[in-house]
Amino acid sequence: MTAELKSNLVASLQAAASQAGLVLLSVTQGSDFHSQPTAVFQLGLPSLPGRTLKLELSEGFDFDKPDLLPTITAHLAGEAKRLRNPRPECYVTLGGLPVAFGEFQWPFHQSTSGADTYIVHGEIHLADGGAHNLHAKIAASVTLTFAEIVPAMEQPYAETFVYNAVRKTVDLGQLEFLKSGNRQPVPVTTRYYSRWQKKFLFTETDDAARLEYLLRKVYWLSGVLGSGQPVWIADPRDAQYLNTTESDLLRMAGDKAGEGLMVLEGEFAAATPALLARAPEYQAALEAALNFTKPQFNESMRSGHANM
């Protein structure tokens, strides 16, 4: 990485981080899937020392193209609020599985199998407070057609839709949580994007489904994993996943706060004893969602009773 390029990249990133309320803690050189140099940034919140965000960009990346700098500024603003969550790496699926995202090897690399796709590797772990180490190693693949939609094939421009595609794949029962295993595919295709509406679409939900989602999120991320600390409700990543808006999520959270199920302060909500009392319900939902991800076998075929 040349000194000039590094200086330009660091200056641009530092300006975007400052606007988002983050501070740049360090810049180091890393390497991508093909051992090419990358720039690794560690960012943090002044009010929460020790809680950091890792951002990795390609060596040759710059912010000269239109919309690149505003987009990364918006991304970092969201990350700054997400860092205030007790477990910033954790999310909840519609089915009720709390999962932690980690070990993502940004940026994308082109497929080594000859397919016309971009790949990023990562892992998700079941995050229910247990020590079972159930996880799924994943390989998220983006088609060349889909890549044309994305401003840049870099972490801040792709992380949200990749994470949501992973959650959607879990919802479909197409990712199995194991104690070990090979990488499982997560296809990220144009079916997740509406060219007419110019936005990503993952799951059509109604108010009932969104309310249930919010309660499960606050139960797991605040009540179980966060020891009652508040979590960010108006997360645009969740809004995209649920095909709604941040303001709509806040509105519904306010309704549940009125029922005594959460304490709402601004855009953050904490679990109440009344919500924690629903533990058997949410544990049952977790078990059902986890079981849905396991391969199901036709027992009559296993016994040799199938017609051939």
Side-chain angles (χ1 to χ4, degrees), residues 130-279:
H132 34 59
N133 196 34
L134 289 176
H135 67 285
K137 296 180 179 180
I138 63 172
S141 59
V142 176
T143 63
L144 293 182
T145 303
F146 193 96
E148 295 175 358
I149 300 166
V150 185
M153 294 299 288
E154 300 282 342
Q155 180 182 353
Y157 305 96
E159 188 174 73
T160 289
F161 70 74
V162 167
Y163 279 20
N164 284 339
V166 171
R167 285 198 279 183
K168 178 67 175 180
T169 306
V170 172
D171 292 333
L172 295 172
Q174 295 173 355
L175 277 178
E176 186 179 9
F177 288 80
L178 305 163
K179 292 188 176 181
S180 63
N182 297 324
R183 293 199 181 277
Q184 302 175 58
V186 174
V188 187
T189 67
T190 51
R191 66 179 176 174
Y192 292 138
Y193 186 79
S194 169
R195 290 186 180 273
W196 177 62
Q197 299 181 63
K198 297 188 182 303
K199 70 175 187 177
F200 292 95
L201 296 171
F202 288 94
T203 304
E204 288 292 344
T205 56
D206 56 17
D207 272 6
R210 294 166 192 163
L211 279 168
E212 189 56 48
Y213 172 86
L214 287 175
L215 290 173
R216 288 172 175 174
K217 173 177 178 173
V218 175
Y219 170 80
W220 285 111
L221 304 192
S222 169
V224 176
L225 300 178
S227 300
Q229 298 176 66
V231 295
W232 189 25
I233 291 298
D235 190 334
R237 193 163 287 179
D238 287 339
Q240 183 190 90
Y241 175 53
L242 301 170
N243 192 26
T244 187
T245 64
E246 298 97 297
S247 59
D248 205 33
L249 293 176
L250 268 179
R251 174 185 61 80
M252 288 184 284
D255 292 341
K256 288 304 173 184
E259 296 176 14
L261 293 173
M262 60 179 78
V263 176
L264 189 64
E265 294 185 8
E267 296 183 352
F268 289 76
T272 64
L275 183 60
L276 294 178
R278 296 188 176 188

